[in-house]
Amino acid sequence: MNTTTAARGPAPAPGRHHAVEIAALFVRILAGGLGVALALAALVLLLAAPAHAVEMRAVPMRPAEAGQGTLLMRTEDGATFALPTLATEVTIRVNGPLARARVMQTFRNPGSDWLEGVYVFPLPENAAVDRLRMRVGERLIEGEIREREEARATFEQARAKGQRAALVEQERPNMFTTSVANIAPDAEIRVEIEYQQTLDYQLVDEAGRYSLRFPMVVGPRYIPGTPDGERSAGHGTVAPTTVVPDAHRITPPVLHPSAGPINPVSLRVELDAGVPLAAVDSPYHAVRVEAPHAHRRVVELAEGSTPANRDFELVWTLAAGAAPQVALFSEPGKDLDYALLMLMLMPPQLRADEQPLPREVVFILDTSGSMEGTSIVQAREALALALRRLNPADRFNIIEFNSEAYALFPTAQPASRDAVDHAARWVRSLQARGGTEMKKALEMALDGSERAGRVRQVIFLTDGAVGNEEALFRLIEERLGDSRLFTVGIGSAPNSHFMRQAAAAGRGSFTYIGKLDEVQERMSALFAKLESPVMKGIELSWADGSALETWPRRVPDLYAGEPVMVVAALRKGGGSLRVAGSGRGVEWSAGIPLAEASPATGVGVLWARQKIAALMDELRAGTPEADIRPAVVELALEHHLVSRYTSLVAVDKTPARPAGEALHGGAMPTNLPDGWRHEAVFGQLPMGATDARLNLLLGTLALLACALLWSAQRRGRSSFALSA
């Protein structure tokens, strides 16, 4: 051994040899760590791409060529493209509890090529959309109602022929898509959509108060499930998944706030309350108010227009003594008449010696990424206020959810001072992050059980930014038991369809908090309602006891200050309606003569809209779609209504785009809702159509690779130590 060693020359000094080995080990560790980091970065970029993708198929245009008002989008390679621009004018006429709205969307082509625009936008969740008109210059084309596939085929055919065409489709009861084909260079097309709705009404401090809400932006939705198909060209940014098969239709591209607001909206409300008004308030937008009459107001935005990035709300209070106890409107139909009834019932009061039943209250708090910013501050404040309203006889628990769900206590605890203080500290520490896995939180809160001697109430604070609404409604109905679910909408643009329908499925009610200084008022009103007795079992019939077709078919439980609001189809010939209910063992009934009804238009449309909603609910109960679809289509075609199975389409028969000219365009971007933070919603990892289980698997594999590398390095150090 020594001879051989001598033949290779002098052996290196032990210290030098160790230094070389240490340097080599350091290089291997560095290279291994760098490799893992690069792999993880590649995974992040791979997974993040779909959530940030924006459809870039519009007209190429350099910034120097763009005129004022041109919306340019930049691709990763630095190229820029012009997109159609959009402006919206809204006119809403209010008559008592009814509103008729016209939404005019103006699509303008700033470029030199022919464009197509696809715009996903919200409307009130109870809007009955029944009219479409397309204006091209001086020409006005009236839209026709067709079955959805037929309307789409008509639009595509016109699009291919170079004809101007507009198509309005329903994605959700509160989300619609307008598609406009063949917008000529430097020209515009106007699309007018009309809808009918009923307004919210409450008795607050013995004064009648109406509220009107006009949503302006579709907030980014959390899309659970694994990718299952391709997103269609020119539409959403997320591919369909196993849980949300239409994800590609409800995820419009979202413009980064650094690009500035787009899609301006001007709005005018012509209000006729029918009785003297005490006050009119717009809590989220500055407005100008004119008062041409004691019971009329004209309301417009003070700045003329506003970016479409938060809901508009108008609230008006009736003068003292003017609050109606009964409002009845009717509209004659072909074979039936239609009626809208709003009846204020006062639940029986507690006796002086009677104590309300103790409660078990479960709070669910959404701490997902979309709640980051002002929303989580509002939610924490609202929950802190709710905790202070608990009585010592109550029991409570809190469930937080984002990508996972966590309960503060294993089971509901007595609302002792120590427990409430502990909960308040825990709530103050909560931060918004991650996805929106509501299912886990609802499964923890609702177990389907019945509890004698205690009222169980679940209060759900969220922005409702999810795409799997139907699956969640089904879960609520299956696991409700004797619990009641009350939703509290948080933020500038909550998903009102989810809020109201989830509350209906949970036989509760919906409260909205749009800004921090409303927390005290709105949560106090909610708790006063939860602590008051309830009127149950409300039914409508003819005076002779025969049944009446009313919607909603099951009137929800009523709390103090809430009216019965139903629409009914009536046999011709008049008569009287009988309303009956009970509360705390007291039976109540009243008769209402139809001769006292006021004439109104659009009541039949509202009746059909409510009946369609009830039919769609039956799908969740297991009724085959083959049974539901024909009934919905028949109703929608008869009343000219947009639904899941019917759409409005308008076609200008005159070809406009010359043969050989290409058509460009695609999905039109929207604003991020006011108060949301782009990075918190889209984050470093996407919150959209990515699969949490896939991410978990990839993360686990990456960690395993790190562990194997570390183990190999340890073995290398052991060999080095032995040889030394």
Side-chain angles (χ1 to χ4, degrees):
M1 289 289 292
N2 291 337
T3 303
T4 305
T5 302
R8 291 179 177 173
R16 183 181 175 188
H17 179 78
H18 290 177
V20 171
E21 292 288 347
I22 290 172
L25 178 61
F26 178 77
V27 169
R28 286 200 301 272
I29 293 173
L30 184 63
L34 182 61
V36 171
L38 290 173
L40 289 172
L43 287 175
V44 168
L45 292 174
L46 176 65
L47 296 173
H52 294 282
V54 174
E55 191 61 42
M56 301 291 186
R57 299 193 310 109
V59 181
M61 178 179 287
R62 294 193 299 272
E65 300 170 338
Q68 185 176 7
T70 301
L71 178 60
L72 292 181
M73 301 298 293
R74 187 183 300 276
T75 60
E76 293 178 355
D77 61 3
T80 51
F81 296 79
L83 289 176
T85 58
L86 175 76
T88 303
E89 298 174 46
V90 182
T91 303
I92 304 175
R93 293 184 174 85
V94 174
N95 183 13
L98 297 171
R100 180 77 184 177
R102 185 185 66 183
V103 179
M104 185 162 67
Q105 299 167 339
T106 300
F107 294 80
R108 179 166 181 77
N109 178 0
S112 56
D113 289 332
W114 291 78
L115 287 184
E116 175 181 4
V118 180
Y119 181 51
V120 180
F121 63 100
L123 288 178
E125 68 281 357
N126 61 346
V129 180
D130 61 352
R131 190 169 196 180
L132 163 68
R133 288 186 293 188
M134 180 174 67
R135 290 183 181 273
V136 182
E138 298 299 321
R139 293 198 307 283
L140 182 65
I141 299 97
E142 193 75 30
E144 299 177 1
I145 190 73
R146 306 272 182 86
E147 286 199 52
R148 185 165 185 146
E149 293 76 12
E150 181 185 354
R152 166 58 66 175
T154 300
F155 175 81
E156 295 290 351
Q157 189 177 35
R159 178 180 181 274
K161 289 181 177 178
Q163 299 169 330
R164 299 180 181 90
L167 175 70
V168 175
E169 299 169 289
Q170 176 182 306
E171 312 299 345
R172 298 286 187 277
N174 67 335
M175 188 193 303
F176 296 80
T177 297
T178 297
S179 302
V180 181
N182 293 311
I183 312 172
D186 198 28
E188 63 184 29
I189 292 179
R190 294 184 175 185
V191 175
E192 295 180 10
I193 300 163
E194 293 189 18
Y195 67 84
Q196 188 94 358
Q197 71 170 133
T198 54
L199 303 176
D200 287 340
Y201 177 73
Q202 285 190 321
L203 203 60
V204 180
D205 297 330
E206 300 186 354
R209 188 172 70 181
Y210 284 98
S211 63
L212 177 152
R213 175 174 293 277
F214 181 79
M216 293 193 184
V217 63
V218 174
R221 303 291 174 90
Y222 180 77
I223 307 296
T226 55
D228 186 28
E230 298 294 327
R231 62 191 175 97
S232 62
H235 215 131
T237 58
V238 176
T241 73
T242 50
V243 177
V244 189
D246 64 346
H248 60 300
R249 297 191 62 87
I250 63 171
T251 51
V254 178
L255 198 66
H256 195 284
S258 62
I262 55 173
N263 304 344
V265 178
S266 62
L267 191 144
R268 175 186 173 93
V269 180
E270 299 171 1
L271 165 63
D272 186 350
V275 297
L277 287 157
V280 175
D281 181 38
S282 169
Y284 313 123
H285 295 82
V287 295
R288 296 190 304 270
V289 181
E290 297 178 9
H293 190 276
H295 53 77
R296 291 182 56 205
R297 298 291 186 274
V298 177
V299 181
E300 294 180 298
L301 296 174
E303 300 296 328
S305 66
T306 184
N309 64 356
R310 76 167 303 146
D311 292 0
F312 172 84
E313 186 179 41
L314 191 70
V315 180
W316 56 97
T317 304
L318 308 181
Q325 298 300 308
V326 179
L328 183 62
F329 298 86
S330 68
E331 179 184 42
K334 182 180 177 182
D335 301 316
L336 296 168
D337 292 340
Y338 302 98
L340 169 69
L341 172 66
M342 188 183 73
L343 175 64
M344 185 61 70
L345 301 179
M346 296 306 294
Q349 299 296 310
L350 290 173
R351 299 190 307 271
D353 60 344
E354 189 178 13
Q355 295 294 320
L357 288 174
R359 298 178 301 156
E360 179 176 310
V361 185
V362 179
F363 302 98
I364 305 177
L365 180 62
D366 181 352
T367 57
S368 64
S370 64
M371 293 284 288
E372 223 272 344
T374 57
S375 294
I376 190 65
V377 177
Q378 293 171 16
R380 286 196 300 247
E381 186 69 20
L383 186 45
L385 180 65
L387 290 171
R388 293 197 292 271
R389 292 288 298 253
L390 292 172
N391 293 317
D394 296 336
R395 300 173 66 85
F396 80 104
N397 202 351
I398 304 175
I399 297 169
E400 173 212 10
F401 75 93
N402 37 66
S403 297
E404 299 292 336
Y406 313 90
L408 174 60
F409 304 116
T411 59
Q413 299 294 304
S416 65
R417 182 167 181 173
D418 288 346
V420 171
D421 288 346
H422 173 64
R425 289 192 296 273
W426 188 71
V427 168
R428 283 197 296 272
S429 71
L430 296 178
Q431 301 294 324
R433 62 197 185 283
T436 315
E437 288 293 344
M438 285 187 182
K439 181 172 179 286
K440 298 172 184 175
L442 287 168
E443 286 175 340
M444 292 172 69
L446 301 173
D447 58 9
S449 62
E450 306 279 337
R451 294 168 176 79
R454 188 174 293 272
V455 177
R456 193 167 193 273
Q457 297 166 338
V458 178
I459 301 175
F460 194 178
L461 299 98
T462 178
D463 58 14
V466 293
N468 58 329
E469 296 100 322
E470 285 297 319
L472 296 171
F473 299 154
R474 191 180 308 116
L475 184 147
I476 293 169
E477 290 175 344
E478 290 172 352
R479 300 175 66 95
L480 186 64
D482 66 350
S483 300
R484 294 294 179 266
L485 177 68
F486 299 84
T487 54
V488 180
I490 299 289
S492 60
N495 179 358
S496 57
H497 166 55
F498 174 81
M499 297 296 171
R500 199 175 293 273
Q501 192 62 33
R507 304 184 70 179
S509 62
F510 164 48
T511 298
Y512 174 66
I513 298 175
K515 56 184 181 180
L516 192 59
D517 58 11
E518 291 178 344
V519 169
Q520 176 80 31
E521 175 199 350
R522 302 287 171 99
M523 290 302 290
S524 296
L526 172 61
F527 269 80
K529 178 190 301 184
L530 298 184
E531 293 160 3
S532 70
V534 179
M535 181 76 80
K536 295 182 176 180
I538 298 166
E539 295 181 350
L540 275 75
S541 62
W542 289 106
D544 62 6
S546 57
L548 197 67
E549 186 175 8
T550 60
W551 306 102
R553 177 171 287 167
R554 186 180 65 181
V555 179
D557 299 344
L558 290 185
Y559 295 83
E562 292 184 340
V564 172
M565 184 83 81
V566 296
V567 285
L570 309 170
R571 63 193 181 199
K572 289 185 174 293
S576 293
L577 299 178
R578 179 177 178 273
V579 186
S582 63
R584 306 188 77 82
V586 178
E587 300 296 326
W588 176 93
S589 67
I592 303 169
L594 282 177
E596 297 179 359
S598 302
T601 58
V603 178
V605 168
L606 293 173
W607 175 84
R609 171 69 175 75
Q610 290 262 17
K611 184 169 182 176
I612 288 173
L615 288 168
M616 299 308 297
D617 288 346
E618 291 185 22
L619 286 176
R620 291 199 300 273
T623 304
E625 188 172 22
D627 296 340
I628 296 297
R629 179 171 181 135
V632 171
V633 169
E634 181 180 359
L635 264 175
L637 294 180
E638 179 184 353
H639 292 272
H640 215 256
L641 279 173
V642 176
S643 69
R644 183 191 292 188
Y645 305 129
T646 53
S647 305
L648 283 165
V649 60
V651 175
D652 184 355
K653 303 296 183 185
T654 305
R657 176 164 51 90
E661 289 277 356
L663 181 65
H664 306 273
M668 302 185 66
T670 63
N671 295 304
L672 193 68
D674 184 57
W676 289 35
R677 199 165 68 84
H678 191 275
E679 289 71 20
V681 175
F682 296 102
Q684 301 305 309
L685 285 172
M687 304 300 175
T690 56
D691 179 35
R693 286 168 295 183
L694 177 60
N695 291 340
L696 183 61
L697 174 61
L698 293 173
T700 302
L701 291 175
L703 290 173
L704 182 60
C706 291
L708 291 173
L709 179 62
W710 177 78
S711 177
Q713 291 166 346
R714 285 291 302 267
R715 285 198 299 272
R717 282 199 296 270
S718 299
S719 300
F720 167 73
L722 288 172
S723 62

